[in-house]
Amino acid sequence: MASLVGSRVERKEDKKLLTGRGKYTADVTFAHQTYAYFIRSPHARAEIKKVDFSKAIKAPGVVSVLTGKDIVDDKIGGLIAGWRIKSEDGSDMKVPPHPPLASETVNYVGDHVAVVIAESLDEARNAADLVKVDYKVLKAVVDTSDAMKSDQIYKDIPKNLCFDWLLGDRAKVKEAFDKADKVIKIDLINNRLVPNAMEPRAANADYNPSTEEITLYTTSQNPHLARIIISAFNGVAPENKLRVIAPDVGGGFGSKIYPYAEEVVCSWAAKKNRKTSKMGCG
Amino acid sequence: MGQFMIKVGLEVNGKKIQKEVPEHTLLSTFLREHLNLTGTHVGCDTSQCGACVVHVDGKSIKSCTALAADLNGSKVKTIEGLVKNGKMHPMQEAFKKLHGLQCGFCTPGMVMSAIDLLEHNSNPSDKEIRDWLEGNICRCTGYQNIVAAVKEAATKM
């Protein structure tokens, strides 16, 4: 047997990926496929006054229009922060609410307000144009350095402070600085990180009414985590009624570790409509 | 909002196809949704990433910004049309041999684009390869092995 050290190892997946026979999430299509199109906030921060979808629901091909109210009524849990940090004073990190579809406020451009499910993507997109959302635009906080002095965004989070993290020994550091010949103060500006995989995020959920099982295809680096979160935290279905499949994944770079609003909404909408719902590129 | 349907006739990977589709159907949608040729990928939908590159009448184009109806009567070749008698194209072999791919999402567009380059410039320099592939973005490989694969394929084509 040739030595493994120094010898070429050919990848098993290359042939299918090179010949167009890979299967990424957007390549999965079910019989009776329906398509999800999200209505997103054009504002960085606003109060939702009213969502009027009376015209959209009557548009050709539309199966349903779901809003934040349905999320509240169905007791679908919010998106979680996957890391728990304690502040220097020992208090727990404060986690702001992040419902999969907003019902009270939107807090970034692109925040999800409603979803249109239709027989085709064109029909979903056309009907989405007919959904009218009235916003009361609020002043946004866009700079971390000013955030603590700015308007309070969430009522339970004073000074907009989620946590105040300390690593190291404050007393010893002070002692070292006090003894130093010269102390230089600088502001460190961290550049923005964008994982930006080539394959955009995508999800496709199939509901089988006879077994009451949801099968979610999603472009994920961590389908096991998605299954636990969508069942235990979002409460879409018990874990034994939710199967999560990550087929070929077109890069993730960390951005595809956690489930997002779309995966939760597509799984929930599939079950609610007793059909499938697909969100994705193209 | 009625949809206007239009007849589109194309030769795709050597097969004559005739379909009636909404008139605004993009070539990428025509291939992926109407012909189930999902090897052509849509990464950005705005002609920037190059994952959707196919050949139309022998030239590489971005299929996400071409209307299928505009190309009526054309010959289209996609990534699925490269394998002959079970054998991969030299470009595909070179990408495999030299690790010119990782996640594979950009790969179909990258391969189709690179083949077009070699078909009109059989022995390109590193710079010519990099300039040509400017419209194909890969996030995994760092491009070194892609350039090496194109050079390797140039010796086989």
Side-chain angles (χ1 to χ4, degrees):
Chain A
M1 190 185 150
S3 168
L4 284 175
V5 179
S7 59
R8 296 186 57 81
V9 180
E10 291 216 336
R11 303 199 323 153
K12 290 179 189 303
E13 64 270 47
D14 278 358
K15 191 171 180 184
K16 74 170 178 180
L17 299 179
L18 276 161
T19 54
R21 302 290 173 170
K23 203 167 192 66
Y24 298 86
T25 299
D27 303 339
V28 176
T29 303
F30 298 112
H32 314 296
Q33 181 74 57
T34 58
Y35 296 81
Y37 194 87
F38 285 82
I39 288 112
R40 294 164 187 274
S41 166
H43 306 294
R45 187 171 169 237
E47 197 181 305
I48 300 170
K49 306 290 280 181
K50 197 181 168 201
V51 183
D52 178 5
F53 56 87
S54 54
K55 279 189 183 145
I57 195 75
K58 289 181 212 143
V62 172
V63 175
S64 71
V65 182
L66 302 170
T67 67
K69 187 183 175 300
D70 299 295
I71 288 277
V72 174
D73 290 351
D74 285 8
K75 299 186 171 61
I76 298 300
L79 305 178
I80 63 164
W83 202 356
R84 190 167 164 185
I85 295 168
K86 279 193 188 298
S87 287
E88 192 182 352
D89 66 5
S91 63
D92 280 332
M93 155 176 142
K94 297 178 182 71
V95 183
H98 191 174
L101 295 175
S103 54
E104 292 171 14
T105 59
V106 283
N107 289 294
Y108 58 92
V109 172
D111 207 351
H112 314 76
V113 175
V115 65
V116 177
I117 315 277
E119 302 289 346
S120 73
L121 184 60
D122 280 346
E123 287 167 324
R125 201 181 277 154
N126 287 342
D129 285 344
L130 302 173
V131 177
K132 208 170 157 261
V133 186
D134 286 338
Y135 296 100
K136 183 188 169 195
V137 180
L138 302 170
K139 202 173 164 209
V141 178
V142 292
D143 191 339
T144 45
S145 60
D146 292 334
M148 288 178 71
K149 290 177 278 177
S150 305
D151 291 357
Q152 188 171 324
I153 302 173
Y154 300 100
K155 67 175 191 299
D156 300 328
I157 306 183
K159 292 183 182 173
N160 298 321
L161 185 66
C162 182
F163 60 87
D164 176 4
W165 200 14
L166 179 83
L167 283 176
D169 187 326
R170 189 184 278 282
K172 278 190 183 154
V173 171
K174 186 178 180 301
E175 198 187 314
F177 273 106
D178 286 346
K179 279 196 239 156
D181 288 342
K182 195 173 182 179
V183 175
I184 297 166
K185 287 187 177 181
I186 53 165
D187 286 329
L188 288 175
I189 298 170
N190 205 352
N191 60 309
R192 190 176 170 202
L193 285 170
V194 181
N196 224 15
M198 291 307 297
E199 181 204 22
R201 292 195 298 104
N204 195 359
D206 180 35
Y207 182 68
N208 185 328
S210 61
T211 59
E212 299 176 334
E213 283 170 356
I214 300 170
T215 304
L216 170 69
Y217 281 78
T218 180
T219 171
S220 174
Q221 292 172 262
N222 204 337
H224 307 87
L225 190 72
R227 186 183 184 211
I228 290 169
I229 293 173
I230 295 170
S231 65
F233 291 88
N234 306 120
V236 171
E239 210 178 337
N240 68 322
K241 297 289 184 188
L242 175 66
R243 187 174 178 211
V244 178
I245 297 173
D248 292 327
V249 173
F253 311 102
S255 71
K256 293 177 184 173
I257 292 175
Y258 298 106
Y260 291 82
E262 292 88 349
E263 287 96 287
V264 176
V265 170
C266 283
S267 306
W268 164 66
K271 187 177 173 186
K272 207 170 168 63
N273 296 330
R274 303 173 79 79
K275 279 182 176 226
T276 58
S277 65
K278 183 178 189 175
M279 179 287 291
C281 61
Chain B
M1 260 171 293
Q3 289 198 331
F4 294 99
M5 303 298 277
I6 194 163
K7 268 194 191 138
V8 178
L10 295 172
E11 192 185 305
V12 181
N13 299 331
K15 219 164 112 183
K16 283 206 159 54
I17 308 275
Q18 175 91 210
K19 291 256 175 195
E20 198 171 87
V21 296
E23 60 173 2
H24 61 268
T25 302
L26 298 166
L27 180 58
S28 54
T29 310
F30 188 84
L31 296 169
R32 289 181 52 82
E33 309 285 331
H34 297 273
L35 304 183
N36 288 320
L37 293 171
T38 54
T40 298
H41 296 152
V42 179
C44 68
D45 219 6
T46 49
S47 247
Q48 296 172 71
C49 81
C52 68
V53 169
V54 300
H55 293 182
V56 174
D57 296 327
K59 279 195 181 127
S60 57
I61 67 151
K62 290 181 173 172
S63 65
C64 80
T65 28
L67 289 165
D70 258 355
L71 306 170
N72 203 26
S74 302
K75 286 183 180 170
V76 177
K77 192 183 255 185
T78 72
I79 191 77
E80 289 94 340
L82 293 180
V83 173
K84 281 213 177 87
N85 304 321
K87 273 197 72 170
M88 288 203 290
H89 186 280
M91 188 65 76
Q92 293 169 311
E93 289 289 358
F95 267 68
K96 185 172 192 291
K97 185 178 161 195
L98 293 165
H99 291 286
L101 71 152
Q102 206 179 99
C103 82
F105 197 81
C106 76
T107 309
M110 199 68 82
V111 166
M112 296 311 284
S113 204
I115 289 173
D116 186 18
L117 169 65
L118 293 193
E119 278 173 357
H120 71 262
N121 179 357
S122 59
N123 188 22
S125 67
D126 280 22
K127 187 179 183 308
E128 283 172 321
I129 295 169
R130 286 178 185 274
D131 285 352
W132 181 267
L133 294 177
E134 185 234 16
N136 292 79
I137 300 171
C138 171
R139 181 71 170 76
C140 306
T141 66
Y143 303 105
Q144 301 287 355
N145 292 354
I146 291 174
V147 175
V150 178
K151 288 192 89 108
E152 161 94 4
T155 67
K156 305 275 162 67
M157 270 172 73

